[in-house]
Amino acid sequence: MKVTREQAAANREKVLQAAGRLFRKHGFEGIGLADIMKAAGLTHGGFYGHFDSKHDLAAEACERALDASRKSWIEGSPGADLETAVRKYLTPRHRSDPGRGCLFAALGSEVARQPRNVRHAFTEGLRSTIHAIAELLPGPSAASRREQAVATMAGLVGAMILSRAVDDAQFSDEILEAAAAVFSRTN
Amino acid sequence: MKVTREQAAANREKVLQAAGRLFRKHGFEGIGLADIMKAAGLTHGGFYGHFDSKHDLAAEACERALDASRKSWIEGSPGADLETAVRKYLTPRHRSDPGRGCLFAALGSEVARQPRNVRHAFTEGLRSTIHAIAELLPGPSAASRREQAVATMAGLVGAMILSRAVDDAQFSDEILEAAAAVFSRTN
DNA sequence: TGTACATCAGTGAACGCGCGTTCACTGATGTAC
DNA sequence: TGTACATCAGTGAACGCGCGTTCACTGATGTAC
């Protein structure tokens, strides 16, 4: 069954959306193409009409997801300060919904083992995110703002990862709260 | 070919060692039992004489690896201060050898998707590690030392994960250096 | 201490399953006249 | 505008492969006498 060109483009978009969500939720190796296609309302056979490989899908889906979450997190609310951004990131809501959250936190330790194109998408996404954080920071020099931004990003990502890994709800909350307290201080 | 009871115990140990290294290097889903057993000098068929499942192996191997790396990192050099510990963690050497490094950094974002026993081993390992860091910190109260310890651990883990994910060597170095500078300050 | 036998750690073939990928086919779309 | 046909997005069966797990077997170990 052929489909309108616009419909085909919309389908491709749905595949990217579903992939971005399901990769974050289950990991790159924890979800199959058939399930991703099904979540997009299609069957798996049509996949290779849109993408060359699972890795290519991963790279493109990551690029989209990185842009989208940076926009909704920081760039979407201009004028907000660091504390707002930090507290918006370190919420129980974010912790419980990796599929719609930060890609670095959801897939961070898997990225080092991914092919070149996926790692590249991450690198550029991280660059932009750190740049955006640096703009929220006070601090005497651009170099010190950037240093702070890098460390803060590392702290947020690490805190979210640890809070999700832990099997004790109280400990998990403590991690989010401690990190929020420390990383929202601009000293 | 039966084997001495001591030999069998030593073989089990070798499997745990190999598993700890290979899981950290390739991820829980990136390495198979056959390869782990081969790395331990055995064939895959004997696996279920030692462990009930791959998940059980993972849980036990993580427990061992967590204890070992905490000892060699912090508890092994008593009297060291925070800056020493932070700088020892954030090295290019550690970055390039995940198989022998920090389990949280190597597998952090995968742990949330692991079964109960693996997550539990991580939780207890993290608890001990944070406790050990808190002891290195100055600070007015135990609560504030603990808060700092949690945030510092998050920062170290996040920085290592991001520095490994990035495909640009210079950017990767910058992440380690910025985090080292910020997290070794005890303010 | 020596012998006979039961035990059991380790072997390697086999299993069933899910995965990424391929392919012949379908039938609506888009185009040429 | 209407008709005829080529195109091609999507379908579903099939492929080969690697994985976790099982199992019948082997032969050295450990034990009973």
Side-chain angles (χ1 to χ4, degrees):
Chain A
M1 311 142 167
K2 204 186 176 184
V3 146
T4 310
R5 275 205 276 269
E6 292 113 53
Q7 186 54 251
N11 285 345
R12 197 185 132 97
E13 219 57 35
K14 284 177 102 174
V15 175
L16 283 168
Q17 288 288 331
R21 185 168 55 82
L22 294 171
F23 282 141
R24 276 178 281 186
K25 191 169 181 185
H26 299 107
F28 289 118
E29 288 156 348
I31 190 78
L33 290 180
D35 286 327
I36 292 171
M37 291 300 278
K38 189 191 272 184
L42 299 167
T43 53
H44 67 278
F47 176 80
Y48 292 88
H50 289 300
F51 304 94
D52 283 347
S53 66
K54 191 186 182 185
H55 289 321
D56 278 13
L57 169 66
E60 202 168 334
C62 285
E63 210 178 322
R64 298 292 183 97
L66 285 161
D67 284 355
S69 66
R70 179 159 26 81
K71 269 167 193 147
S72 85
W73 176 36
I74 298 183
E75 293 165 6
S77 45
D81 60 356
L82 179 77
E83 179 165 1
T84 307
V86 166
R87 295 204 181 270
K88 192 170 172 186
Y89 187 99
L90 294 170
T91 54
R93 188 190 173 79
H94 183 190
R95 175 183 56 196
S96 67
D97 192 9
R100 275 182 258 279
C102 173
L103 214 61
F104 305 113
L107 298 167
S109 58
E110 285 179 65
V111 176
R113 300 186 281 267
Q114 293 300 307
R116 197 172 286 101
N117 51 1
V118 175
R119 297 184 67 195
H120 194 70
F122 264 75
T123 306
E124 296 313 310
L126 183 60
R127 248 192 256 281
S128 306
T129 305
I130 286 173
H131 186 81
I133 294 177
E135 306 235 299
L136 302 179
L137 285 164
S141 68
S144 101
R145 282 195 297 277
R146 184 168 168 88
E147 187 181 82
Q148 270 294 330
V150 169
T152 300
M153 185 63 195
L156 297 187
V157 170
M160 186 52 69
I161 287 175
L162 295 179
S163 80
R164 282 185 184 143
V166 147
D167 72 346
D168 170 335
Q170 215 177 320
F171 190 16
S172 180
D173 287 345
E174 187 200 357
I175 294 167
L176 293 187
E177 285 158 18
V182 171
F183 296 119
S184 66
R185 282 203 276 273
T186 56
N187 45 4
Chain B
M1 312 140 165
K2 203 185 176 183
V3 147
T4 309
R5 273 204 278 269
E6 291 112 54
Q7 186 54 252
N11 284 344
R12 197 185 131 98
E13 220 56 34
K14 283 178 103 174
V15 175
L16 283 169
Q17 288 288 332
R21 185 169 54 81
L22 294 171
F23 281 141
R24 276 178 281 187
K25 190 168 181 187
H26 299 107
F28 290 118
E29 288 157 347
I31 191 78
L33 291 180
D35 286 327
I36 292 171
M37 290 300 277
K38 190 191 272 182
L42 298 166
T43 54
H44 67 279
F47 177 80
Y48 292 90
H50 289 300
F51 304 95
D52 281 349
S53 66
K54 190 186 183 186
H55 288 321
D56 278 12
L57 169 66
E60 203 168 335
C62 285
E63 211 178 321
R64 297 291 182 98
L66 285 162
D67 284 354
S69 66
R70 179 159 27 79
K71 270 168 194 146
S72 84
W73 176 36
I74 298 183
E75 294 166 5
S77 43
D81 61 355
L82 178 77
E83 178 165 3
T84 307
V86 166
R87 295 205 180 270
K88 191 169 173 186
Y89 186 100
L90 294 171
T91 54
R93 187 189 172 80
H94 183 189
R95 177 183 57 197
S96 67
D97 192 8
R100 275 181 257 279
C102 173
L103 214 64
F104 305 113
L107 297 165
S109 58
E110 285 180 66
V111 176
R113 299 186 282 269
Q114 292 300 306
R116 196 171 287 101
N117 51 1
V118 176
R119 297 185 67 196
H120 194 70
F122 263 74
T123 306
E124 296 313 310
L126 183 60
R127 248 192 256 281
S128 306
T129 305
I130 286 174
H131 186 81
I133 295 177
E135 306 233 301
L136 302 179
L137 284 163
S141 67
S144 103
R145 283 195 297 277
R146 184 168 168 89
E147 186 181 82
Q148 272 293 332
V150 169
T152 300
M153 185 64 195
L156 297 187
V157 170
M160 185 52 69
I161 287 174
L162 295 179
S163 79
R164 283 185 183 145
V166 146
D167 73 345
D168 170 335
Q170 215 176 322
F171 190 16
S172 181
D173 287 344
E174 186 200 359
I175 294 167
L176 293 188
E177 285 158 18
V182 171
F183 296 119
S184 65
R185 283 202 277 273
T186 56
N187 47 7

